[in-house]
Amino acid sequence: KFQCIIFLSQFGNKMKELKWDVDHLSAACKQLRTSKRFSTLLKMILTLVNKINTGEDGGAVADGFTLNTLVKLNETKAFDNKTTVLYYLVKLIRETNIDVLKFKEDIKDVVVAKGVVMERLLTSAKQLCEDARVAEETANKDGDLYRQSLKNPSEQWKFTNKFTNVTAQRRSVNEIRQMVTFSTERDVP
């Protein structure tokens, strides 16, 4: 019962934290998917990497690349063994489509969302669901016991001895039931 009271008092803040994280992750993903400049940048990177790998005469080209490849752009030297591929890419973009370099304006929520740790988010959501399940079970069990004592007044002493303050207990159970109604597992993002 004590865990239920703690759960009840922390539920609102925990849900707000989860919602904040999920909202920012969703907004960041949407911005990445819809940004024309970011998409153009990725296409330019793919074209450049394919030209480096296959040369001018063609050959098998890649359909995509991993995020680890992007890190290598700054490590890999270009044709003169002095210039990095990243530097060459930026130079190429400045010459052909400088607007692409403003892609950061399109993906502002990515900066905020980068602080969200998915493992922590999933763990918090699972824990909130588990706590809600325990609170619901406790509310059902204690509610059943209380309802039984009302039906059979001769048994009421068992209930009152077990719970010293019946009125406070009933209020707590009602609050927990009301709260649990809004916190079923399907409601957690």
Side-chain angles (χ1 to χ4, degrees), residues 1 142 145-146 158-166 169:
K1 289 172 203 145
D142 291 348
L145 184 60
Y146 179 70
K158 291 180 184 176
F159 184 76
T160 54
N161 284 344
K162 188 172 181 182
F163 306 105
T164 56
N165 189 341
V166 175
Q169 179 64 30

Side-chain angles (χ1 to χ4, degrees), residues 119-131:
E119 286 182 27
R120 183 185 58 81
L121 178 70
L122 293 173
T123 301
S124 295
K126 286 178 184 177
Q127 185 62 50
L128 198 60
C129 289
E130 177 61 19
D131 291 348

Side-chain angles (χ1 to χ4, degrees), residues 47-171:
T47 302
L48 178 62
V49 170
N50 277 330
K51 282 189 179 182
I52 290 171
N53 289 335
T54 62
E56 290 296 323
D57 49 319
V61 294
D63 293 330
F65 53 86
T66 64
L67 293 177
N68 293 336
T69 305
L70 297 178
V71 175
K72 294 177 184 175
L73 293 178
N74 197 34
E75 298 169 357
T76 308
K77 300 293 181 186
F79 50 87
D80 64 358
N81 285 335
K82 294 180 183 176
T83 308
T84 66
V85 173
L86 180 61
Y87 180 81
Y88 179 74
L89 176 67
V90 172
K91 181 181 173 191
L92 184 67
I93 292 171
R94 283 185 177 153
E95 292 172 0
T96 58
N97 191 354
I98 197 160
D99 187 53
V100 170
L101 294 177
K102 297 178 185 174
F103 75 92
K104 285 178 72 174
E105 295 172 9
D106 300 341
I107 59 171
K108 293 178 181 174
D109 281 323
V110 171
V111 174
V112 177
K114 77 177 184 178
V116 176
V117 179
M118 283 302 295
E119 286 182 27
R120 183 185 58 81
L121 178 70
L122 293 173
T123 301
S124 295
K126 286 178 184 177
Q127 185 62 50
L128 198 60
C129 289
E130 177 61 19
D131 291 348
R133 186 190 62 73
V134 169
E136 183 176 23
E137 285 177 4
T138 302
N140 287 336
K141 180 179 135 195
D142 291 348
D144 290 343
L145 184 60
Y146 179 70
R147 280 187 291 280
Q148 285 175 354
S149 73
L150 291 178
K151 289 178 184 175
N152 189 355
S154 65
E155 297 283 320
Q156 196 165 14
W157 66 271
K158 291 180 184 176
F159 184 76
T160 54
N161 284 344
K162 188 172 181 182
F163 306 105
T164 56
N165 189 341
V166 175
T167 306
Q169 179 64 30
R170 184 174 12 177
R171 201 171 343 156

